[in-house]
């Protein structure tokens, strides 16, 4: 149980007369080392003496003495007792028992006592870990769940409280037991226990709404309604019309506003999945924006299920389904790929256009690959004579989208000019310029400053290109096919930093490259304001040491995300682009104007290159 200062001192006062009597009848008085000489001196504080003279035969008696000395403001005297306690070689069961008796607050008190560091924190952490393992023991949880259906109300109440204390493990196990319960009375007793574990049951319950078990869906819906979960509202409507309104409203809200669930300190959201075959719940952690898209796909799926005749709903589901499909294992793939195979060219073009507009790179790549596989070059010609979505994809900010578009058009191999055809050789020349290196652009007001930073970057196997003019920074960045990071000083000129950043963000080849704004003294606040106006931009003070610069590089690398193309992938793209440029240079498609900025006789592919057909999807 919990022991606070008042309780500890009260117990100590009760024990004090007995301990003092023991000292009077022959026990030597407690002694403590002198802070000056280290030699023993007589301890005059009776409470401290009582704590020191407390019999210590069990781990609990050791721990109690330590707590009393901490409470009395003499933690340094507890160090020998803590050493005795650590030498007892406690089992996990004994450690968990200490947490059960004294409470987690006492463990926290021990861990935070500086005079007992680091041994105190180590001991407290081990005890808390043992207690957590004991609380989440599957056999113990199963026993508690069995008690939830006990005839005795008292047994059920105690089991509910103990189960709630186990946290997420208990909540998940309770809901899985609800799914397998065949007795209606048992289900009725499990439901209140699940409700008692709000909010831990909310995510799993939302996942269980996808179950094919009508009884389970009814129970999950009833609990969500009882708990007033706003994310469940679109799924709980009584009529098709009201459900359609609720779903469309939710989709609009989540597209424009915050994510559907609160993110943790790492900006990640936990989403749950229910498997009808195994009757099990599983959780996955996603970046907040990725979780938003997954939830939107689920809402769109429900909307398309309600109104299967609505082409717009089907298209929206197809886009979101393709975007999220590759985030899951094959056993959890949506039917989106199957629907894509049967889609007509117009629907594919619409899906691609929507994906490009929403910056759904995975969906765009999937739609592009589907268009290329049809072998019909007519998809490049629109009725309004405007560039097709496939031609527009050549100018998208995502590298993999652009390369997928290049590949598809080369497969389609149109025999006549089409709107936007000039973009293909430009894109090929850019991809062919890659050497599979890790490149950085450093733009600072002086050549000396940019060269110094470039030199420090070499220690991280980064090939840095220094410059001292804003115009050169933009031009160089646009041509660097291996560019991974941009370091841009706030005092860069011709043009100024705001214009340089704007041009970098509006160019397809640099729009997604992470940028660090390097702020001199007095300009960091302005740098933060400018960084807030753009994606993938951070503001930092000018780095003056390799260690600080290393932290900046790590932050920018993390910002690039897991979908960034690797150096090996870029090398493979370059080899393939050179081969395609060679094909176009043969003259069979004279309407293409080739810009010879990369060698066409690429020779043997790099050994570290990935085969183009094996390039990973985003």
């Amino acid at each position: 149980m919990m022991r606070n200062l008042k309780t500890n001192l009260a117990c100590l006062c009760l024990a004090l007369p007995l301990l003092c009597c023991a000292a009077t009848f022959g026990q030597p008085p407690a002694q403590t080392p002198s802070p000056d000489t280290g030699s023993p001196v007589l301890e005059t504080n009776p409470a401290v003496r009582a704590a020191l003279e407390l019999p210590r035969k069990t781990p609990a008696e050791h721990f109690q003495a330590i707590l009393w000395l901490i409470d009395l403001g003499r933690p340094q005297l507890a160090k020998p007792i803590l050493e005795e306690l650590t030498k007892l070689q406690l089992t996990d069961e004994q450690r968990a028992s200490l947490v059960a008796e004294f409470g987690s607050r006492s463990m926290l008190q021990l861990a935070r006592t500086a005079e007992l560091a680091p041994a105190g924190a180590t001991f407290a952490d081990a005890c808390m870990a043992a207690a957590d393992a004991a609380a989440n023991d599957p056999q113990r949880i199963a026993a508690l769940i069995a008690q939830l259906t006990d005839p005795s109300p008292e047994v059920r109440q105690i089991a509910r409280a103990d189960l709630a204390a186990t946290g997420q493990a208990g909540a998940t196990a309770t809901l899985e037991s609800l799914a397998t319960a065949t007795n209606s009375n048992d289900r009725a007793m499990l439901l209140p226990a699940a409700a008692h574990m709000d909010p831990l049951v909310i995510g799993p319950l939302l996942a269980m709404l996808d179950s094919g078990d009508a009884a389970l869906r009814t129970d999950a819906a009833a609990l969500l309604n009882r708990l007033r979960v706003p994310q469940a509202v679109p799924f709980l409507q009584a009529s098709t019309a009201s459900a359609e309104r609720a779903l469309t409203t939710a989709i609009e809200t989540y597209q424009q506003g915050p994510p559907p669930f609160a993110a943790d300190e790492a900006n990640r959201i936990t989403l749950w999945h229910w498997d009808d075959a195994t009757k099990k719940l599983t959780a996955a952690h996603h970046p907040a924006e990725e979780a938003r898209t997954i939830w939107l796909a689920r809402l769109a799926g429900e909307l398309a299920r309600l109104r299967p005749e609505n082409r717009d709903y089907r298209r929206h589901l197809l886009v979101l389904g393709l975007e999220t499909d590759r985030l899951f294992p094959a056993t959890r793939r949506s039917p989106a790929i199957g629907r894509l195979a049967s889609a007509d060219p117009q629907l594919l073009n619409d899906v691609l256009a929507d994906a490009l507009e929403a910056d759904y790179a995975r969906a765009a790549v999937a739609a592009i690959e589907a268009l290329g596989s049809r072998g019909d070059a007519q998809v490049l010609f629109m009725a309004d004579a405007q560039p097709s979505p496939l031609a527009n994809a050549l100018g998208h900010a995502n590298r993999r989208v652009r390369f997928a578009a290049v590949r598809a058009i080369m497969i389609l191999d149109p025999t006549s000019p089409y709107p936007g055809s000039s973009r293909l050789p430009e894109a090929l020349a850019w991809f062919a310029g890659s050497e599979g290196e890790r490149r950085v652009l450093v733009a600072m007001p002086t050549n000396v400053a940019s060269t110094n930073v470039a030199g420090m970057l070499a220690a991280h196997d980064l090939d840095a290109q220094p410059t001292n003019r804003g115009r050169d920074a933009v031009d160089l960045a646009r041509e660097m096919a291996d560019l991974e990071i941009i370091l841009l000083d706030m005092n860069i000129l011709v043009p100024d930093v705001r214009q340089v950043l704007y041009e970098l963000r509006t160019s397809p080849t640099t729009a997604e490259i992470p940028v660090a704004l390097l702020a001199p003294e007095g300009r960091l606040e302005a740098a933060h304001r400018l960084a807030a106006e753009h994606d993938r931009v951070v503001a930092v003070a000018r780095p003056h040491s390799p260690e600080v610069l290393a932290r900046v590089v790590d932050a920018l690398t993390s910002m690039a995300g897991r979908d960034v193309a690797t150096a090996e992938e870029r090398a493979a793209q370059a080899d393939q682009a050179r081969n395609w440029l060679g094909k176009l240079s043969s003259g069979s498609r004279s309407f293409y104007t080739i810009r010879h900025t990369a060698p066409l006789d690429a020779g043997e592919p790099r050994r570290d290159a990935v085969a183009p057909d094996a390039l990973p999807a985003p």
Side-chain angles (χ1 to χ4, degrees):
M1 61 181 183
M2 304 293 286
R3 301 290 182 94
N4 55 27
L5 177 59
K6 184 177 179 181
T7 303
N8 289 341
L9 292 179
C11 293
L12 185 56
C13 290
L14 291 174
L16 184 58
L18 295 175
L19 291 170
C20 289
C21 289
T24 302
F25 288 100
Q27 283 192 6
Q31 295 180 333
T32 60
S34 166
D36 298 323
T37 66
S39 58
V41 298
L42 182 65
E43 177 59 61
T44 57
N45 186 320
V48 174
R49 288 177 55 185
L52 290 170
E53 294 169 355
L54 180 72
R56 297 191 295 271
K57 295 182 179 180
T58 66
E61 289 170 344
H62 282 76
F63 196 81
Q64 181 64 87
I66 294 169
L67 287 182
W68 278 349
L69 290 169
I70 293 174
D71 289 343
L72 290 166
R74 305 293 296 275
Q76 68 277 10
L77 300 183
K79 185 174 290 188
I81 304 175
L82 179 60
E83 291 176 359
E84 293 176 10
L85 181 57
T86 56
K87 290 178 181 178
L88 293 179
Q89 306 260 325
L90 303 186
T91 65
D92 286 342
E93 184 179 358
Q94 288 174 310
R95 294 181 186 275
S97 178
L98 287 177
V99 177
E101 182 175 353
F102 293 94
S104 58
R105 183 178 299 176
S106 295
M107 291 295 168
L108 183 61
Q109 185 181 18
L110 173 60
R112 290 180 174 177
T113 301
E115 292 83 354
L116 299 178
T122 301
F123 183 83
D125 290 345
C127 289
M128 291 301 297
D132 182 67
N136 291 284
D137 178 60
Q139 293 182 347
R140 178 175 179 269
I141 290 176
L144 290 173
I145 291 175
Q147 293 173 15
L148 293 175
T149 58
D150 193 274
S152 169
E154 291 183 358
V155 171
R156 294 199 302 270
Q157 180 62 34
I158 294 173
R160 279 198 295 268
D162 289 346
L163 200 56
T166 65
Q168 189 62 64
T172 303
T174 301
L175 291 176
E176 290 174 347
S177 295
L178 178 67
T180 57
T182 56
N183 186 296
S184 59
N185 290 331
D186 289 349
R187 297 170 77 97
M189 292 180 180
L190 288 167
L191 288 170
H196 190 64
M197 287 182 275
D198 177 36
L200 298 178
V201 293
I202 289 177
L205 283 171
L206 288 168
M208 295 171 105
L209 288 177
D210 279 343
S211 173
D213 183 338
L216 181 58
R217 284 201 316 272
T218 299
D219 287 340
L223 269 178
L224 289 166
N225 191 50
R226 174 180 173 180
L227 298 175
R228 298 184 179 181
V229 178
Q231 294 88 345
V233 170
F235 302 96
L236 305 181
Q237 299 300 309
S239 68
T240 300
S242 61
E244 183 179 8
R245 286 193 299 270
L247 286 163
T248 53
T249 299
I251 290 173
E252 292 172 1
T253 299
Y254 295 136
Q255 280 179 329
Q256 301 170 4
F261 304 95
D264 60 17
E265 63 277 2
N267 198 35
R268 297 177 70 83
I269 290 174
T270 301
L271 296 179
W272 289 82
H273 171 71
W274 171 254
D275 190 326
D276 262 335
T278 62
K279 304 294 184 184
K280 293 292 182 181
L281 286 157
T282 54
H285 308 290
H286 301 272
E289 283 304 310
E290 192 174 275
R292 182 208 302 270
T293 306
I294 294 171
W295 188 251
L296 285 171
R298 183 174 178 188
L299 294 171
E302 183 68 11
L303 192 57
R305 186 189 66 80
L306 287 174
R307 294 282 304 277
E309 76 286 355
N310 189 304
R311 184 181 176 90
D312 289 338
Y313 291 169
R314 296 204 317 273
R315 186 177 74 192
H316 195 202
L317 172 60
L318 193 52
V319 172
L320 290 166
L322 292 173
E323 180 65 14
T324 60
D325 197 60
R326 292 176 181 175
L327 298 175
F328 306 112
T331 54
R332 286 188 53 192
R333 296 283 171 87
S334 72
I337 297 298
R339 288 191 291 269
L340 191 66
S342 60
D344 58 75
Q346 183 58 51
L347 180 57
L348 285 177
N349 270 327
D350 290 342
V351 167
L352 178 55
D354 289 352
L356 294 175
E357 183 178 0
D359 285 330
Y360 289 149
R362 300 181 190 88
V365 169
I368 289 169
E369 291 174 348
L371 285 167
S373 67
R374 300 294 178 90
D376 182 6
Q378 286 302 117
V379 296
L380 292 166
F381 299 90
M382 298 288 99
D384 58 3
Q386 294 298 310
S388 65
L390 185 52
N392 285 333
L394 292 169
H396 192 266
N398 185 278
R399 183 187 187 106
R400 287 185 178 140
V401 171
R402 295 198 304 276
F403 192 78
V406 168
R407 189 207 301 269
I409 294 175
M410 291 304 299
I411 291 173
L412 294 174
D413 193 21
T415 57
S416 61
Y418 52 90
S421 57
S422 63
R423 299 172 184 173
L424 180 67
E426 293 175 0
L428 280 170
W430 185 85
F431 279 108
S434 172
E435 297 178 355
E437 304 291 339
R438 299 189 64 201
R439 306 290 303 279
V440 181
L441 179 67
V442 182
M444 302 188 74
T446 67
N447 282 324
V448 172
S450 58
T451 301
N452 285 342
V453 172
M456 288 191 285
L457 288 168
H460 301 282
D461 294 326
L462 295 170
D463 182 9
Q465 173 67 55
T467 183
N468 67 334
R469 298 178 71 253
R471 177 53 52 212
D472 292 343
V474 173
D475 293 341
L476 285 168
R478 287 173 173 171
E479 295 297 323
M480 294 169 68
D482 287 317
L483 186 60
E484 293 187 7
I485 291 172
I486 299 174
L487 302 180
L488 178 62
D489 195 275
M490 286 290 289
N491 287 351
I492 199 73
L493 296 175
V494 194
D496 66 10
V497 64
R498 182 176 291 277
Q499 180 64 25
V500 171
L501 188 55
Y502 171 78
E503 293 187 27
L504 290 172
R505 279 296 172 258
T506 54
S507 173
T509 59
T510 59
E512 293 189 349
I513 302 297
V515 177
L517 295 176
L518 309 183
E521 186 175 355
R523 297 208 66 190
L524 186 57
E525 184 177 348
H528 280 297
R529 290 196 298 269
L530 182 56
E533 298 175 8
H534 299 272
D535 293 331
R536 302 193 185 195
V537 179
V538 295
V540 298
R542 282 178 180 169
H544 296 290
S545 70
E547 294 76 19
V548 173
L549 186 58
R551 290 196 291 270
V552 174
V553 170
D554 289 342
L556 292 175
T557 302
S558 298
M559 188 179 294
R562 64 184 182 185
D563 289 338
V564 67
T566 64
E568 292 79 8
E569 185 179 348
R570 294 195 300 265
Q573 291 173 344
D575 287 331
Q576 182 64 78
R578 293 184 185 114
N579 290 333
W580 284 330
L581 278 171
K583 178 180 178 181
L584 293 185
S585 297
S586 66
S588 59
R589 299 291 181 263
S590 58
F591 55 90
Y592 289 122
T593 301
I594 307 302
R595 181 165 60 95
H596 294 286
T597 59
L600 300 184
D601 51 344
E604 292 296 323
R606 292 174 178 80
R607 292 183 180 180
D608 61 348
V610 180
D613 291 339
L615 293 174

